[in-house]
Amino acid sequence: MDVVVIETPQLGDRSYLVHDGTVALVIDPQRDIDRVEAAALDAGVQITHVAETHLQNDYVTGGLILAEKHGAAYLVNADDHVSFSRVPVTDGQVLRVGRLTVSVVATPGHTHTHLSYVVRDDAHDGGPEAVFSGGSLLYGSVGRTDLVSPHDTAELAHDQYSSVRRLVDAARPEAALYPTHGFGSFCSTGPASRQESSTIAEQAKSNHALTDPHEDHFVAELLENISAYPAYYAHMSPLNAAGPGRPDLTVPDSVDPGELSRRLRAGEWVVDLRHRVAFADTHLQGSVSFEYGRGDNFTSYLGWVIPWNQPLTLLGPRGEVDQAIRDLARIGIDNPDAAVGPDSTGLDIGALAPEFPRARYPHGDWTLLMREQQPGDVVLDVRRPDEFEASHVAGARNIPVYELPGKITELPDARIWVHCATGYRASVAASLLDRAGRDVVLINARFKDAAGVGVETTP
């Protein structure tokens, strides 16, 4: 048995190609299936089975289109209400994929109908075994349990406690563990590990879901650690249940300057992909900054901040626009328009709409705040509330970046110094404030460096 890992760091997820050298099973494929197909081609195997651990909440699946394209069996829980043909599978069922034996294990918790798959190579007695746990047992933690309904969160947390134990009992201690979530995905919760691989035995010794002997304590701790998740999640499971189609990943013809100007004047969402400092120095008035390719934050935060199903135009070098279109398709944002410049970091964004006004706002590090902050100025922290509660600038206000569009009017008419943990979310927030006509300064610095230059923080 060989397992090929297909990483999607932009969303903190992994998909898997599991094969015996001839035929393959694909677990939880992302919507851009060409990456999976390339892995199968490299391995010289035929995709005969595609399996979902659950109806995903953080991305649009490529499972249906991959199965249809390759004539593969599409394995989906029989209890999931879906609008497409599938091979319904249930707890305890055993399937064959070439010489691989695939055992289906019900592991409710992340969702009510969550499944895991224990795969064994039967080439010889005692062959290798692997566990594909989706959003159940993760490295160091488990999948969050609040994505189905607030009313079900506690019940699913209890289910999660039981499920991970059941999964451990269904596999050998030396079995390799391959979760879908837990690599930066908002689908995980608790003290997740940053390790790259693990086994059932390792998790049994270190994962708090397995080492905590008290179920109620585990559930209370899990619920206490639940934080906000991207707004676009609400649309993923319904899209996956309906059967998503093939995405169009081509870069569209560039919109002409007149049309781009009209969109900006109309208040449409025009997203500038350039570096945050380049945007602050000069940008088309009314556009917003979502820097592409820095820290893998682009997809989640754009899908979180910009209202769902709104017209969207991307501005930037062709190569970045091309990759952004792929990333957005993974969360169901299809066919954005684009104003495309050359593949150059020196792109003159104003050349895309020469007659349209440009804007700018100041930026700097914490020393700029110490030197130029005036009485009455506002320090705005756009991190999550749990980050703010752990430590923050004395006197700062906290509005998470994903809530800012609806709360800008709550801020006083004053100069606003905006920051986050690293500068990325602050750059998005600064552009939103600038778009609203506010006097803003971007603190493009790490929060952990503030106290070192004399900024008063608490606690």
Side-chain angles (χ1 to χ4, degrees), residues 289-349:
S289 174
F290 282 87
E291 180 181 354
Y292 184 78
R294 192 174 181 91
D296 300 319
N297 293 304
F298 168 79
T299 314
S300 293
Y301 281 106
L302 189 147
W304 204 339
V305 171
I306 292 182
W308 184 257
N309 206 26
Q310 294 292 306
L312 180 66
T313 306
L314 304 176
L315 310 181
R318 184 178 185 86
E320 292 186 355
V321 169
D322 179 54
Q323 291 300 312
I325 288 172
R326 177 181 290 265
D327 288 351
L328 294 176
R330 293 176 183 144
I331 62 169
I333 299 177
D334 288 327
N335 306 118
D337 286 325
V340 181
D343 283 316
S344 169
T345 56
L347 170 66
D348 178 7
I349 205 72

Side-chain angles (χ1 to χ4, degrees), residues 358-371:
R358 303 189 197 187
R360 65 177 306 276
Y361 48 80
H363 56 87
D365 58 16
W366 292 107
T367 59
L368 181 67
L369 175 72
M370 293 290 291
R371 187 170 66 247

Side-chain angles (χ1 to χ4, degrees), residues 25-62:
L25 163 70
V26 177
I27 308 283
D28 289 343
Q30 295 269 342
R31 196 178 183 198
D32 49 332
I33 62 172
D34 55 341
R35 297 183 298 154
V36 177
E37 292 176 316
L41 184 64
D42 287 345
V45 297
Q46 178 186 357
I47 297 171
T48 60
H49 293 73
V50 179
E52 302 283 2
T53 58
H54 60 295
L55 294 180
Q56 302 290 341
N57 292 291
D58 65 333
Y59 65 83
V60 177
T61 182

